[in-house]
Amino acid sequence: MAALWTLPLLLSACLQGCLALTPPDELPRPHNLPPSLGFNSSDDGGPSVDLPMALRVFSVDYHHVQAPFEIVLWIMLASLAKLGFHWSGRVPAVVPESCVLIMVGLLVGGVIYGVRHSAPPTLSADAFFLFLLPPIVLDAGYFLPGRLFFENLGTILWYAVLGTLWNVLGIGLSLYGVCLLAQSSLGDVSLLHCLLFGSLIAAVDPVAVLSVFQEMHVNEQLHILVFGESLLNDAVTVVLYKLFESFLRLPSVSGLDVLLGGCRVVVVGLGGLCVGLFFGLVAALTSRFTSRAQVIAPLFVFLYSYLSYLTSEMLHLSGIMAIVTCAVTMKQYVEANVSEHSNTSIQYFLKMWSSVSETLIFIFLGVSTIQDVHMWSWPFVCSTLLLCLIWRATGVLLLTAVVNKLRRNAVTFRDQFIIAYGGLRGAICFSLVFLIDDFPKKRLFITTTIVVILFTVFVQGMTIKPLVELLDVKRKKRALPTVSEEIHSRLIDHLLAGIEDVVGYWGQHYWKDKFEQFNKKYLRRFLIREDHQARSSILRVYQELERREQRGDDEAPPLVDPRSHSRPLLPEEMDSIRRILSRNLQNFNNKQTPAYSRHTLHQDATADRTRKPLHRHQSLGERRTYNTITHWPQIEDGEFSESHRVRAGLSRSHTVCAISPRSVLQDSSTSAQTGSVDPRPAGEDQVSPQHQAPAGRAPKKQLSFVLENEKQQ
């Protein structure tokens, strides 16, 4: 265990040792020379190859592989740190993974600072936004629970848009008031600088939220509200950050600039949505023609998604909105077109890619904390930390009070507390703070951002799980939904859509039903191959559940014991199963009887005389009554006489009607004295097996009526 934690430190120390051995200002050797030959320096300082030196057996050329070598070492460090966390005994149950990774980054940053006596490398904003953030957002969008997300889309947008504006304006204006009160130390911080800092510090990081909430297994509604709000919150905060940054670069801000800024926010969000929708449909159409090259089918998922993100960033649109929309759009069509092996490859590669990016982000957060650019101010740091908690809590309470009046399933107070307490900050605000143009208090902004991140990740991240258990927040189901549950949920959706259509209310079920019709009539026919189109919606539900079970999500572990391994059936075993099923099906078909209805007439009983009668189980009282009453002397031909047959039938009907044996004896003796003869033929009381089982109530009532007539006589 200790080796797993010390090996990353040794790798980083060796890396820094290599960096120390090679001065940065030394020019690398020309690559056109063979590595085994040296070169002499000419008088003018240029290289000369006229007089080769002695042949070198061993040489080191670190500059030739410096960039990929350092990248591989950082990825190895992140992977080993994650592996050590999951093998650290009880630590995962107490401390979140993000906290441990940040502590590893702090330790590595301290080692680098001690070796080089200078600040360790920091995570640049370009590296974060162009390489590390897209895999995490793509994974979140591709595996987004679509039904829950779109059912709660209004509430998510309510929190993400209005809640973010509430936090940005509240924190920015409050911090400006703090700066006015502390004129001696914070007098040079303007209102736009405070609003700019409020826009970046209000960004709830989906990476931190995912890493914490996936370990708690809260209910689906709470999870989708927190995760969806953090995902769309980033898009809003990035847009507001760029807007305030543009205002800072203007000589003066007028009312028209504010109006154009509001229009820009709408254009950036809708533009990213349209770009993601376009690339998602193109990716789905491309996957339709990958049947002859299934090997490269997963590649189009990653290429089109990343291309949508880069295109949006190039057009100054929301890249997060674009990649999420692209992933949600193409998922159902891509999964229907590609093979199961390709689907498995897509799922595992996305999980691996996002996990490595998330681990690198948290480690670099810890490494970048060790630096010489810190500036401390107690009023500004403490007020920022307090205002972040106050404004988020008040925003959640006020917005939820309004949205609960429009929701069927109200957000409980416990869920509101978890939503407000789960606003964790992370790498997004850390990367944005380094993009601020230089001004005297930039280092103070950086220090305050680091303090807020460490407080939310360590204090709130470590205490939110005990609070969830203390408040007894509803947890989610640990089992996958069955086909029956999916069918019943769809039945309810169709029923609600019909009710909304009848009453003339265009609700979410109405529009969902219209989209399903449009999707089935046009999109699926155009984007999915004909041989892969499911003929039944039940079959599509079954295929989706099979894919979920094969994926083996942590959210829904399999119901079977993973230790029990099943082997494939042999051909002779399959033949035996087929023979057993066919024989049972043939026997079942032979036992089928026509359906009985009390509104239809009985068939002729003489048609089924050859069949053996079905024997009914008799109780002890019935057997004694039958033996007492119907034990009549037989004739030579072995048949009862006609009168005896009638009385026996009546006595049996009395037994079925649950009359006592004494009354049966009296009634039978009375009827025998009357000497009445039943006009029915002799073979009619042998009821066919088709009518004996279902003749439950009507024959009982008929025979009871005959006995009453006999009593009246």
Side-chain angles (χ1 to χ4, degrees):
M1 182 61 59
L4 289 175
W5 290 101
T6 55
L7 185 56
L9 300 179
L10 293 177
L11 288 175
S12 61
C14 294
L15 173 62
Q16 298 305 320
C18 294
L19 290 174
L21 289 176
T22 306
D25 54 350
E26 182 180 345
L27 294 175
R29 186 182 57 195
H31 296 286
N32 55 358
L33 295 179
S36 61
L37 295 179
F39 58 92
N40 295 327
S41 299
S42 59
D43 296 337
D44 55 356
S48 175
V49 295
D50 295 336
L51 298 175
M53 297 175 61
L55 183 66
R56 293 184 180 180
V57 179
F58 177 77
S59 61
V60 177
D61 188 7
Y62 178 73
H63 285 284
H64 181 57
V65 295
Q66 180 178 0
F69 188 77
E70 292 179 359
I71 292 174
V72 171
L73 280 181
W74 279 112
I75 296 176
M76 183 68 69
L77 170 66
S79 303
L80 290 176
K82 195 177 186 70
L83 185 63
F85 169 77
H86 288 284
W87 279 90
S88 56
R90 297 183 178 179
V91 174
V94 179
V95 183
E97 181 181 349
S98 56
C99 300
V100 177
L101 294 177
I102 290 178
M103 287 190 290
V104 172
L106 290 171
L107 190 59
V108 173
V111 172
I112 295 175
Y113 187 83
V115 172
R116 296 180 57 182
H117 299 287
S118 61
T122 59
L123 181 63
S124 64
D126 291 337
F128 172 76
F129 283 105
L130 296 181
F131 301 107
L132 296 180
L133 184 61
I136 299 172
V137 182
L138 175 60
D139 173 72
Y142 195 82
F143 297 106
L144 187 71
R147 180 185 178 89
L148 284 173
F149 180 78
F150 288 107
E151 285 181 354
N152 298 276
L153 183 59
T155 308
I156 292 172
L157 291 176
W158 186 260
Y159 285 141
V161 179
L162 294 181
T164 304
L165 289 174
W166 173 272
N167 290 327
V168 169
L169 296 177
I171 295 174
L173 295 175
S174 301
L175 285 178
Y176 183 67
V178 173
C179 294
L180 292 178
L181 294 177
Q183 285 286 343
S184 59
S185 59
L186 302 174
D188 53 348
V189 180
S190 63
L191 176 61
L192 286 178
H193 281 103
C194 292
L195 291 175
L196 180 66
F197 181 73
S199 65
L200 66 93
I201 206 64
V204 179
D205 191 16
V207 182
V209 170
L210 276 178
S211 63
V212 172
F213 274 78
Q214 283 183 351
E215 300 173 4
M216 296 189 301
H217 302 289
V218 295
N219 60 83
E220 291 86 355
Q221 176 178 306
L222 177 59
H223 182 269
I224 198 63
L225 288 179
V226 176
F227 171 64
E229 188 260 340
S230 64
L231 194 63
L232 300 182
N233 170 275
D234 293 337
V236 178
T237 52
V238 171
V239 172
L240 292 176
Y241 175 85
K242 294 181 178 179
L243 178 63
F244 290 129
E245 188 180 31
S246 302
F247 286 164
L248 276 172
R249 294 173 182 175
L250 294 176
S252 62
V253 180
S254 61
L256 181 61
D257 295 330
V258 175
L259 181 61
L260 293 177
C263 297
R264 181 181 176 181
V265 172
V266 177
V267 170
V268 167
L270 294 180
L273 184 69
C274 295
V275 170
L277 183 64
F278 171 76
F279 280 99
L281 294 177
V282 173
L285 182 62
T286 306
S287 64
R288 180 179 181 178
F289 304 99
T290 57
S291 58
R292 300 183 180 180
Q294 289 288 344
V295 179
I296 63 173
L299 187 62
F300 291 108
V301 175
F302 312 125
L303 291 180
Y304 280 112
S305 302
Y306 193 49
L307 192 59
S308 67
Y309 184 84
L310 295 179
T311 304
S312 298
E313 291 294 327
M314 179 182 64
L315 300 175
H316 295 284
L317 302 176
S318 178
I320 298 175
M321 289 290 297
I323 196 170
V324 169
T325 307
C326 179
V328 173
T329 303
M330 70 179 175
K331 179 185 178 181
Q332 59 171 326
Y333 309 111
V334 169
E335 286 185 346
N337 284 326
V338 302
S339 62
E340 292 297 330
H341 295 288
S342 299
N343 275 323
T344 305
S345 301
I346 294 171
Q347 293 162 5
Y348 275 95
F349 188 80
L350 281 178
K351 291 295 182 183
M352 179 199 68
W353 197 9
S354 63
S355 178
V356 172
S357 300
E358 174 186 338
T359 308
L360 284 174
I361 287 172
F362 284 120
I363 288 182
F364 268 108
L365 278 177
V367 172
S368 303
T369 305
I370 310 298
Q371 52 185 325
D372 299 327
V373 296
H374 294 299
M375 178 185 294
W376 188 261
S377 174
W378 282 104
F380 192 83
V381 174
C382 296
S383 59
T384 301
L385 190 59
L386 186 62
L387 289 172
C388 288
L389 298 175
I390 293 175
W391 283 103
R392 179 166 179 85
T394 54
V396 170
L397 292 176
L398 292 177
L399 293 177
T400 308
V402 177
V403 80
N404 275 341
K405 298 180 179 180
L406 305 175
R407 288 176 57 90
R408 292 192 306 270
N409 299 324
V411 183
T412 63
F413 180 76
R414 298 177 180 179
D415 292 346
Q416 295 177 39
F417 179 80
I418 298 300
I419 292 173
Y421 199 76
L424 308 179
R425 272 66 173 180
I428 290 185
C429 55
F430 184 79
S431 300
L432 289 175
V433 75
F434 280 96
L435 294 178
I436 299 177
D437 297 333
D438 291 332
F439 79 105
K441 291 299 185 291
K442 180 179 178 179
R443 293 191 299 169
L444 178 60
F445 284 4
I446 295 175
T447 304
T448 307
T449 304
I450 293 175
V451 171
V452 172
I453 292 173
L454 295 180
F455 178 84
T456 55
V457 173
F458 278 89
V459 178
Q460 296 181 217
M462 293 178 64
T463 57
I464 191 171
K465 188 173 182 180
L467 286 175
V468 167
E469 297 177 355
L470 180 63
L471 296 175
D472 195 16
V473 177
K474 184 180 177 182
R475 303 297 181 94
K476 69 177 179 181
K477 298 179 181 179
R478 301 301 303 271
L480 286 171
T482 61
V483 178
S484 177
E485 293 177 355
E486 291 288 340
I487 292 175
H488 280 81
S489 63
R490 293 197 175 194
L491 174 63
I492 294 174
D493 290 342
H494 289 302
L495 181 62
L496 292 176
I499 293 174
E500 291 180 355
D501 197 6
V502 169
V503 300
Y505 174 71
W506 291 356
Q508 60 176 355
H509 296 91
Y510 174 83
W511 292 111
K512 181 181 178 181
D513 185 68
K514 293 298 181 183
F515 174 75
E516 288 294 336
Q517 294 179 6
F518 178 78
N519 185 27
K520 181 180 179 181
K521 189 175 181 180
Y522 298 104
L523 294 181
R524 294 187 65 88
R525 291 184 179 181
F526 182 68
L527 299 176
I528 298 179
R529 298 201 304 267
E530 295 182 358
D531 55 339
H532 281 206
Q533 290 187 3
R535 302 300 179 185
S536 173
S537 60
I538 300 178
L539 181 58
R540 289 201 302 269
V541 172
Y542 178 75
Q543 292 173 353
E544 175 64 24
L545 294 178
E546 285 292 323
R547 280 193 290 266
R548 292 184 194 175
E549 186 175 359
Q550 291 178 1
R551 187 165 65 227
D553 292 338
D554 295 335
E555 302 178 357
L559 299 178
V560 297
D561 189 1
R563 295 173 294 182
S564 60
H565 300 282
S566 59
R567 62 176 179 82
L569 296 176
L570 300 176
E572 52 269 18
E573 294 176 343
M574 294 296 298
D575 295 337
S576 176
I577 292 174
R578 291 191 186 96
R579 287 195 300 271
I580 293 173
L581 291 176
S582 60
R583 184 169 61 251
N584 291 339
L585 183 61
Q586 183 179 4
N587 295 336
F588 179 76
N589 291 332
N590 292 335
K591 292 180 181 179
Q592 291 297 315
T593 58
Y596 170 75
S597 176
R598 62 188 179 91
H599 301 289
T600 58
L601 297 176
H602 295 285
Q603 297 179 359
D604 188 7
T606 59
D608 294 328
R609 284 183 181 179
T610 57
R611 292 189 179 182
K612 295 181 180 181
L614 295 177
H615 298 283
R616 180 176 59 87
H617 178 71
Q618 296 176 342
S619 62
L620 183 60
E622 291 175 342
R623 292 175 185 175
R624 188 177 64 180
T625 306
Y626 178 76
N627 293 333
T628 304
I629 301 174
T630 64
H631 187 66
W632 303 99
Q634 297 182 357
I635 311 176
E636 294 180 357
D637 57 354
E639 296 180 354
F640 291 110
S641 64
E642 190 69 24
S643 61
H644 293 167
R645 189 187 310 276
V646 176
R647 301 298 176 264
L650 294 177
S651 62
R652 281 198 299 273
S653 68
H654 247 81
T655 304
V656 173
C657 293
I659 301 178
S660 63
R662 182 175 300 176
S663 61
V664 174
L665 290 173
Q666 295 175 358
D667 292 340
S668 60
S669 61
T670 305
S671 60
Q673 293 175 2
T674 56
S676 60
V677 180
D678 195 345
R680 292 183 302 172
E684 190 173 350
D685 94 301
Q686 298 180 357
V687 185
S688 64
Q690 295 182 0
H691 301 121
Q692 187 170 355
R697 295 183 179 179
K700 295 178 187 177
K701 295 180 180 179
Q702 183 178 1
L703 292 176
S704 300
F705 179 74
V706 172
L707 288 177
E708 292 293 336
N709 291 338
E710 291 178 357
K711 289 181 180 179
Q712 293 176 3
Q713 292 177 0

